[in-house]
Amino acid sequence: MHKVVFALFALVLVTCATPRPPPVAAPAPAPAAEPHTGPPEGASSSGPEALAPPAEPAPGLIDEVLPAPDALRRLDFRGGEPQVPIGLMQGRREVRFSPRGRMRLRFGGEEDRVLEAPSGSVWTVRVTEGSPAELSTYLQLAEVPFPDKAGLAEAQAQWRARGMAVRVHVLGVLYGIAGKVIDNRRYLLLSQEQLSPTEAAARQTELLREYGARTSLFEEVRVPARAILEVRDESGGVVGLAQDSVLAETLDESGFDVRQVEHDVGYDNHGFEDRSFRGTLQLTVDRHGTLAAVNLVRLEDLLKGLVPSEIYARAHPEALKAQAVTARGEVLAKVGIKHLADPFLLCSEQHCAVYRGRTGEAASTTAAVEATRGEGLFSQQGRLVDSVYSAVCGGHTEDNDVVWGGPPNPNLRGRPDVLGPTEGLPGPDSLSEYLRAELPTACRLSTFAQPSKYRWEKRFSVEQVNAFTASLGVGPVRALSLGERGVSGRARTLTVAGERGVTQVRGELNIRRLFGMLNSSMALVEEERDAEGHLAGWHFRGGGWGHGVGMCQTGAIGRAEAGQRYQEILRFYFNGAEVAPIY
């Protein structure tokens, strides 16, 4: 059958003349950071000039040279709308896919070989002779917001006093789109010492026990991964080989069906599903020397497959629009800060943003994306707002610095999420009373409200708590205490007293992770004793589901149901920020 198809559709390797590299948005260079002196100097607060639209390819050329895998970690702004490389899966030995329209398969290389095939044909890309990337691993000791030079200097001094040689790394990008500034840079404080994975894990445990410091790992690619990729037709015959990467595109932009996409890795609902995607498909070597499937998709099409996973598709249209705007900003805010050793910008899992492509789309959320096309949320200074959100704020949102540290962000200030006047209502400053009160809050009155997320209780036995805290090195736990609360009542410190000492866990997320992802740190904790007076465990009573910073998703639905438009909803949750077009 394929011999006939080959003849009919001219499945030949074609050489394209004068190939050119694809235009990508070039971020402004980040300022250099000196590892042993004071904090690096920042860029001008006025921001960069807007980038000019990239030139279109000359007529008659079949596109540009296939981008190297590293280029898949940058945004492509052809046509004004960003094209985002999102990883669908990695670690595969082979990937099977089928074009939904006439396909052009590009093998790259100096000759830019091209293969054409019909709609519905089935293809397999298989990795052979793969070698993994060689990585350098360092301890990430701290992450500091870019404006917080004083915080960086303090972190440097603290770790040097502990005898640690450190260096500063600037993560993220600064760039402009149509006169709007997008700046997600931050400082990472790294150890100077290069470690093996085993050495790094041992060092992390040591620092946790000695200083109560939770560190993470930072990886740099020293030698990139390489692999030869085989392209096979439906009968299993090899029709071509490629070095490291193959690009598949449909001429009518109808996209692809990808077989057995792995999803929810590490979760109970882990599995495989056939999925359909818009855009183009890149099959490329990943850090392991195996195969990654990457979807190069326009940002608006990405949002169509992403927003339904973030909010109920049956929610009020104004809430869906608010979610579309915040999700668009969140994607742009993550550029250059995740998956630094991978051949894509974002993954399609919970780690970045759950994305199922065309398979996950819903008519209601697609309409919301289209109604807000190209819109983002901007501060009065014209900078993209970090439009974060959580599921249920519990009636009161929280300040960013309480949850993540660093300087206060004027657009991320906690406030009561009350529909109507707040006078005379109890507040989180009296948390016990607040958690018991029935308040007219948006996330309680929403038709999508879930009482078990708005207010909740959890009990942990002594054995469970001792297991959770074993790495802290304080021995069997005798007392727990939550402190340093923010305006919503969320705690940012947990003091743990055990038979062998006392330590403190800092950070809202660290507290929640310690107890297997506690619903939130807007909580009170009390010890429980048995009939004989022996310690039996601890009882947590709290409110909210998530960090509580920025937009409350359930509250946004409640506000929409109360008659607020999406601009008003976003203005409320982000302290006066305004919706404006990016492209």
Side-chain angles (χ1 to χ4, degrees), residues 154-186:
E154 181 182 348
Q156 287 175 301
Q158 179 186 53
W159 282 100
R160 287 174 183 153
R162 292 170 174 172
M164 181 79 74
V166 297
R167 67 183 177 97
V168 175
H169 179 85
V170 178
L171 185 67
V173 293
L174 168 68
Y175 59 98
I177 309 175
K180 298 294 191 300
V181 177
I182 297 178
D183 184 359
N184 66 356
R185 292 170 298 168
R186 69 279 316 273

Side-chain angles (χ1 to χ4, degrees), residues 50-68:
L51 297 175
E56 292 294 327
L61 293 183
I62 303 180
D63 212 332
E64 295 84 14
V65 154
L66 185 68

Side-chain angles (χ1 to χ4, degrees), residues 11-28:
L11 281 170
V12 293
L13 296 178
V14 182
T15 300
C16 298
T18 323
R20 298 176 298 162
V24 293

Side-chain angles (χ1 to χ4, degrees), residues 186-313:
R186 69 279 316 273
Y187 295 117
L188 301 185
L189 190 64
L190 307 176
S191 65
Q192 288 255 12
E193 184 182 12
Q194 181 180 325
L195 302 168
S196 69
T198 302
E199 292 170 334
R203 191 78 173 108
Q204 284 184 293
T205 301
E206 178 185 336
L207 294 176
L208 180 63
R209 289 178 174 171
E210 189 169 353
Y211 303 112
R214 289 186 174 272
T215 59
S216 55
L217 300 183
F218 180 84
E219 296 175 324
E220 291 179 333
V221 177
R222 190 169 67 252
V223 178
R226 302 303 301 271
I228 300 298
L229 305 183
E230 290 181 349
V231 178
R232 294 175 177 260
D233 61 21
E234 194 165 358
S235 66
V238 177
V239 299
L241 301 175
Q243 177 69 56
D244 300 333
S245 191
V246 173
L247 178 69
E249 55 190 0
T250 49
L251 305 188
D252 60 358
E253 300 186 348
S254 54
F256 295 86
D257 296 328
V258 182
R259 309 293 173 84
Q260 293 296 286
V261 177
E262 187 174 17
H263 61 85
D264 295 293
V265 177
Y267 291 84
D268 292 340
N269 54 336
H270 170 251
F272 297 84
E273 179 183 40
D274 292 350
R275 292 180 176 178
S276 177
F277 298 95
R278 302 177 187 272
T280 59
L281 189 65
Q282 184 98 33
L283 291 312
T284 185
V285 62
D286 60 24
R287 63 158 74 190
H288 310 292
T290 50
L291 196 59
V294 181
N295 186 200
L296 295 112
V297 61
R298 292 188 181 96
L299 178 53
E300 300 302 310
D301 287 339
L302 169 62
L303 293 174
K304 291 173 185 177
L306 183 156
V307 172
S309 299
E310 298 288 347
I311 194 170
Y312 301 105

